[in-house]
Amino acid sequence: MGFILKTKAFVRFYAELAVDNKISLLFTLLFPAIYQLLNSGTGTITNNNDFIQVCLPMIAYIIVATALNGVTMSIISTRNSGYIKAYYYASGSRWAIYLANLFVQLAIVLLENIIYIISLMILYRFFSLSLLATFVLMTLISFPFIALEFNILFLLRIRASDMSKLSNLLCK
């Protein structure tokens, strides 16, 4: 029972931390929305496959950006500032710290994807409840694995300021 209470306390902490980082939240959602608005005149949506092809790349972007910025970067920045050691000594569990952050970011990425998909459905006038449910399920399944894969960066002695250099290298 103690592990659940510890995780719940860290969920509250990471939720407040995530809400304070409004620029990351807005950029993760606004970039795909602006991209879709600019490209909305290039075609029409007539079936489910067309809708999937239009929105899947930006849904993947939202998932990856939230996993990198929300889970990995927040853990790296708290590790580099020394807070992880203090949290670990206070709670006695690294898993409670990590799982709390993962739960908060999973809720955020679900909300972002739902808002994005519904706005695309309104933009293209193509409504499908089954596609919405499919994308939500895809997000629930894929996000924890993607966030876990980014946690390989914990093994490296990397700072939060080095991530911009790494992201530039990956984009080239």
Side-chain angles (χ1 to χ4, degrees):
M1 189 65 170
F3 180 77
I4 294 173
L5 291 175
K6 292 174 190 176
T7 305
K8 185 179 173 185
F10 283 117
V11 163
R12 224 177 284 131
F13 168 74
Y14 278 114
E16 290 175 10
L17 192 65
V19 171
D20 284 343
N21 194 0
K22 291 174 182 67
I23 291 175
S24 177
L25 289 173
L26 288 175
F27 184 75
T28 304
L29 192 56
L30 282 181
F31 174 72
I34 292 170
Y35 177 81
Q36 279 310 127
L37 282 174
L38 293 175
N39 291 329
S40 64
T42 60
T44 59
I45 305 295
T46 58
N47 57 25
N48 286 349
N49 290 335
D50 291 342
F51 188 77
I52 290 170
Q53 287 178 348
V54 165
C55 68
L56 192 60
M58 288 298 124
I59 289 174
Y61 167 79
I62 292 171
I63 291 171
V64 169
T66 304
L68 183 61
N69 292 328
V71 178
T72 305
M73 291 302 295
S74 67
I75 295 288
I76 286 175
S77 63
T78 53
R79 178 193 70 187
N80 290 341
S81 64
Y83 287 126
I84 288 288
K85 287 182 184 177
Y87 298 157
Y88 175 69
Y89 289 129
S91 70
S93 173
R94 288 186 179 118
W95 283 105
I97 298 166
Y98 179 74
L99 285 176
N101 190 18
L102 185 68
F103 290 150
V104 168
Q105 295 303 323
L106 181 61
I108 289 171
V109 78
L110 278 172
L111 184 64
E112 287 175 337
N113 275 342
I114 289 170
I115 290 169
Y116 179 71
I117 293 165
I118 290 174
S119 66
L120 280 185
M121 287 180 177
I122 292 169
L123 178 67
Y124 288 108
R125 293 182 183 94
F126 184 82
F127 300 98
S128 173
L129 204 53
S130 64
L131 274 179
L132 180 64
T134 301
F135 284 129
V136 166
L137 186 61
M138 179 194 72
T139 302
L140 279 172
I141 292 171
S142 66
F143 183 77
F145 290 110
I146 291 170
L148 187 62
E149 289 173 14
F150 276 128
N151 288 336
I152 293 202
L153 295 173
F154 292 153
L155 300 176
L156 306 173
R157 283 286 159 211
I158 195 165
R159 293 183 307 239
S161 62
D162 294 336
M163 288 305 293
S164 64
K165 298 170 193 163
L166 181 64
S167 65
N168 286 336
L169 181 68
L170 291 175
C171 291
K172 291 182 181 182

